Amino acid sequence: MTTAPDPSTDFPPPPLDQQERMVEAILFAATAPLSLRDLADRMPVGCDPAEAVAALRRRYQGRGVTVEQVGQGYAFRTAADLSFLMQTETVESRRLSRAAIETLAIIAYHQPVTRTEIEEIRGVAVSRGTLDQLIEMEWVRMGRRRMTPGRPATFVVTEAFLDHFGLESPRDLPGLAELRAAGLLESRPPGEGLGLPLASEDADDDIAPVAPGDLFEDDHDPAAWPAKEDQP
């Protein structure tokens, strides 16, 4: 009975530095961590992947990328102290719902304006959370309270709103006549022109917290469309 010749006797393994280069190439091209067995299957017979990996890890120590053990495998990874360089910031653009746009426009053009006055102009009730989410965006804030029964809170736009739209003041907004001509604003708040008094700046300005409303709408998700009460 004859035995198959041992290929390792005819072809000695490459030097360790060459094995290290092989491991480097394999790990660089791999899409997932590779175990020592995976490396051994790809390398010539007689190679020592464990020793090659250890040498490669020493070589990359302190570099921008390192060879890290991930479970039972090994992979190139960004150095931990440089991970902040890999972070990116993205801006998610979402369209304001019709209810939020109308509410914001009314506040901008009629400020200071109360919730009741907003509802009278729109012709429908302001849905739950619309005003509060505009406040969270820092485009709207609470102004002085009206010195009328119930002392209702008023709402005004903020400097963040003006900065976002490149305005120096609300006076730089398009004229109301233009908006009324386009059918966007057809009425005035009942308090406009009546000289209703406002509370002092240091008066309490509070608003009850409510659940998020329909500030944004999703073109593809009917569940995220404005509530029925916001449809004119």
Side-chain angles (χ1 to χ4, degrees), residues 206-226:
D206 55 357
I207 187 167
V210 296
D214 62 346
L215 179 64
F216 296 104
E217 63 185 6
D218 189 331
D219 294 335
H220 306 290
D221 183 6
W225 292 352

Side-chain angles (χ1 to χ4, degrees), residues 11-231:
F11 301 97
L16 182 60
D17 61 337
Q18 291 299 314
Q19 296 183 39
E20 181 184 336
R21 293 181 65 238
M22 293 178 185
V23 171
E24 182 179 28
I26 295 171
L27 294 183
F28 180 80
T31 58
L34 297 178
S35 66
L36 294 178
R37 176 171 294 182
D38 295 329
L39 293 172
D41 290 341
R42 302 189 186 192
M43 298 172 70
V45 175
C47 288
D48 187 348
E51 185 63 27
V53 167
L56 190 64
R57 297 187 70 177
R58 290 192 297 269
R59 181 180 298 275
Y60 274 90
Q61 188 174 6
R63 302 289 298 273
V65 293
T66 59
V67 179
E68 300 292 339
Q69 183 171 355
V70 182
Q72 298 299 315
Y74 296 87
F76 277 110
R77 292 290 185 264
T78 301
D81 62 323
L82 300 179
S83 60
F84 71 94
L85 296 174
M86 305 298 107
Q87 298 176 357
T88 59
E89 295 183 2
T90 59
V91 177
E92 180 182 1
S93 298
R94 303 186 67 187
R95 188 175 66 178
L96 284 172
S97 69
R98 178 175 179 177
I101 292 174
E102 292 177 353
T103 300
L104 182 60
I106 291 169
I107 295 172
Y109 283 100
H110 294 286
Q111 64 176 339
V113 62
T114 67
R115 184 189 187 106
T116 300
E117 292 166 351
I118 295 172
E119 293 176 344
E120 180 171 326
I121 293 173
R122 292 193 60 224
V124 294
V126 177
S127 66
R128 181 183 179 90
T130 298
L131 281 170
D132 300 272
Q133 293 187 51
L134 287 174
I135 292 174
E136 290 177 6
M137 290 181 63
E138 298 184 352
W139 281 7
V140 170
R141 68 175 178 83
M142 294 184 65
R144 300 179 184 179
R145 291 183 177 274
R146 285 268 168 79
M147 298 301 292
T148 55
R151 299 183 65 235
T154 62
F155 299 91
V156 298
V157 294
T158 65
E159 291 186 0
F161 166 84
L162 299 177
D163 181 65
H164 181 85
F165 291 99
L167 304 172
E168 292 186 7
S169 72
R171 291 189 298 271
D172 296 323
L173 289 165
L176 290 177
E178 300 176 28
L179 296 178
R180 291 197 181 96
L184 297 177
L185 293 177
E186 300 179 353
S187 61
R188 295 174 178 269
E192 185 178 3
L194 297 181
L196 294 178
L198 298 174
S200 60
E201 289 286 0
D202 58 356
D204 293 335
D205 287 337
D206 55 357
I207 187 167
V210 296
D214 62 346
L215 179 64
F216 296 104
E217 63 185 6
D218 189 331
D219 294 335
H220 306 290
D221 183 6
W225 292 352
K228 184 176 181 181
E229 66 177 348
D230 278 319
Q231 301 298 332

